Amino acid sequence: MTRFFRTLLKVVAVAFVAAVATADTVPPKPAPNWKLMDVDGHEVRFEQFKGKVVVIDFWATWCAPCRAELPGYIALQDKYRGDGLVIVGISVDRLGPKVVKKFIADHGMNYQVVMGDDEVQEAFGGMDGIPTTFIIDRAGNIRDRKTGAAEAGAYEAVVRKYLEK
């Protein structure tokens, strides 16, 4: 075995061990207990989703990566609703619910959408950008956070891991 391949093997092994260690040893963090208004002015509370796996997606109508993820979230909600998956889009649009409501209808969004505020963003630890998405397990703990768009199939595998627990 050449020195190059031994070095490459070590790098891959270290990366694998690090990935496995962080996936299983990062302690879960309790999700914030938020309450926000949906686009029709009805109050939605996190506690409504107790016992469910909840995907919280901070997004905006004008955000291209957010828009790119919509078909994947729509498909996930359809596929796993019966298994206890709830997707909640938290819109950070500043133009208000009227714009968001139209966007929801135009794009066939089949999951709960609420209007976010600075307080809920801070409760989740602040946003480095959007989309920022969290997976909350059935016990109400944040188990995953991603910033930026992800390929739908890869993200489905992450979500499925928590549905199966």
Side-chain angles (χ1 to χ4, degrees):
M1 185 181 281
T2 68
R3 190 165 114 160
F4 169 77
F5 285 112
R6 277 194 304 271
T7 303
L8 181 61
L9 185 59
K10 285 180 188 175
V11 169
V12 169
V14 168
F16 175 77
V17 169
V20 169
T22 57
D24 293 329
T25 61
V26 174
K29 177 183 173 184
N33 192 18
W34 52 265
K35 66 177 178 180
L36 297 166
M37 303 303 265
D38 70 12
V39 296
D40 292 320
H42 301 110
E43 187 176 85
V44 177
R45 296 173 170 264
F46 174 63
E47 63 195 32
Q48 293 174 223
F49 309 116
K50 194 173 237 168
K52 306 279 187 180
V53 172
V54 183
V55 172
I56 301 284
D57 181 43
F58 286 87
W59 70 288
T61 58
W62 47 263
C63 167
C66 301
R67 293 166 74 118
E69 287 189 313
L70 286 179
Y73 289 144
I74 291 167
L76 277 176
Q77 187 64 86
D78 277 343
K79 188 172 183 179
Y80 296 108
R81 177 179 281 119
D83 296 322
L85 177 67
V86 174
I87 298 178
V88 179
I90 299 182
S91 173
V92 297
D93 281 87
R94 299 290 184 203
L95 295 178
K98 186 176 179 182
V99 170
V100 177
K101 186 173 183 171
K102 181 179 180 338
F103 184 91
I104 291 166
D106 290 350
H107 291 86
M109 294 171 71
N110 61 350
Y111 53 88
Q112 181 75 61
V113 176
V114 295
M115 300 304 297
D117 56 25
D118 292 339
E119 186 177 315
V120 77
Q121 290 180 55
E122 288 305 313
F124 274 91
M127 304 295 129
D128 296 325
I130 56 170
T132 296
T133 309
F134 299 85
I135 299 174
I136 301 169
D137 67 17
R138 295 179 193 277
N141 296 305
I142 296 174
R143 301 306 299 257
D144 186 79
R145 174 187 176 136
K146 76 172 179 67
T147 301
E151 189 274 323
Y155 198 64
E156 178 179 356
V158 176
V159 170
R160 200 171 51 240
K161 179 171 89 171
Y162 296 103
L163 286 169
E164 293 168 355
K165 288 186 177 188

